[in-house]
Amino acid sequence: GPCALPSGECCRPHGGSSWVKEQQGLPYLTGQNEEDREDETEFRNFIVWLEDQKIRHYKIEDRGNLRNIHSSDWPKFFEKYLRDVNCPFKIQDRQEAIDWLLGLAVRLEYGDNAEKYNKDLVPDNTKNADNAAKNAEPLINLDVNNPDFKAGVMALANLLQIQRHDDYLVMLKAIRILVQERLTQDAVAKANQMKEGLPVALDKHILGFDTGDAVLNEAAQILRLLHIEELRELQTKINEAIVAVQAIIADPKTDHRLGKVGR
């Protein structure tokens, strides 16, 4: 039936790739090259085919002049046809007019078979969604027996100086823990903010035992000092935990005046 496009509206695609895509929905052009389309007879047959099969702006009984491709008045009929379908191009702009008519034909073809074309796209969309999900979680289909996987885990373990293990997943877990605790942005920032320790004179600290080796005695003193530092840090965390628990269980409504000390 007639197509009521707004005056001056152009469906013509931009770029060669879009024009090729349009041809995929128009079997008439299959196998025809540029020289064939420039041939006058082929060109007129092509216009008739577009109107008869795709555009269908005229009623069947009104297409006689356009179908009379051997008439000397055909260019005049074609010019009238371009005006009737609101094509913004003139008969002199043959290539532009062809592209515009192709765009109109594709638009009408899609409008008549939108459900069919949309249905054809569903499997691709579903497949893309599945691929996106797999990419978002790459460890789902991890093959632990893959030589490349084993080589990669081993290389990371050597780089991070992590002890080897027969189970590559165990090594991978160790790598993950080290990266999270030492190599994340937060961990690096925290390490950069740590203050340098004060120098300690080991000779002022009594070890309490003698190993018989001066070097071992010094190493033992250093280990003891480090252990004391860790104990201090642990005590600080315990104190923080106690304060946090007290804040949770404290009853701000308690009336201390009712309290009683002693017997």
Side-chain angles (χ1 to χ4, degrees), residues 213-230:
D213 188 302
V215 175
L216 288 178
N217 287 342
E218 185 173 312
Q221 285 179 303
I222 293 173
L223 289 175
R224 171 169 287 185
L225 291 174
L226 290 175
H227 180 58
I228 293 174
E229 178 65 23
E230 290 179 350

Side-chain angles (χ1 to χ4, degrees), residues 183-252:
L183 301 180
T184 60
Q185 292 182 352
D186 293 340
V188 173
K190 183 177 179 181
N192 292 334
Q193 292 175 355
M194 293 180 62
K195 298 181 180 180
E196 294 184 1
L198 297 175
V200 176
L202 294 179
D203 55 352
K204 294 183 178 180
H205 294 271
I206 300 175
L207 180 60
F209 61 88
D210 187 5
T211 64
D213 188 302
V215 175
L216 288 178
N217 287 342
E218 185 173 312
Q221 285 179 303
I222 293 173
L223 289 175
R224 171 169 287 185
L225 291 174
L226 290 175
H227 180 58
I228 293 174
E229 178 65 23
E230 290 179 350
L231 289 177
R232 287 177 178 174
E233 184 178 352
L234 177 61
Q235 184 63 52
T236 300
K237 291 182 178 180
I238 292 174
N239 293 339
E240 292 175 352
I242 293 174
V243 172
V245 172
Q246 288 176 340
I248 294 175
I249 64 176
D251 184 7

Side-chain angles (χ1 to χ4, degrees), residues 103-149:
L104 176 59
V106 169
R107 178 174 175 174
L108 296 173
E109 173 73 14
Y110 175 79
D112 292 341
N113 302 278
E115 184 177 351
K116 171 189 172 184
Y117 291 126
N118 291 338
K119 184 178 180 181
D120 291 341
L121 292 176
V122 170
D124 292 337
N125 293 337
T126 304
K127 183 178 180 181
N128 292 337
D130 292 341
N131 291 337
K134 291 180 180 178
N135 292 334
E137 301 181 22
L139 297 181
I140 290 180
N141 297 320
L142 188 63
D143 183 7
V144 296
N145 296 319
N146 188 301
D148 293 335
F149 167 75

Side-chain angles (χ1 to χ4, degrees), residues 7-8 10 12 43 47 74-101:
S7 179
C10 177
R12 183 169 61 90
F43 168 69
I47 298 301
W74 192 90
K76 181 172 60 176
F77 301 142
F78 179 55
E79 188 172 13
K80 180 179 183 302
Y81 177 72
L82 292 179
R83 290 196 305 268
D84 290 343
V85 296
N86 293 322
C87 177
F89 299 100
K90 304 299 182 182
I91 190 174
Q92 295 83 2
D93 307 318
R94 173 172 292 193
Q95 189 57 54
E96 288 80 1
I98 289 177
D99 287 350
W100 190 92
L101 290 173

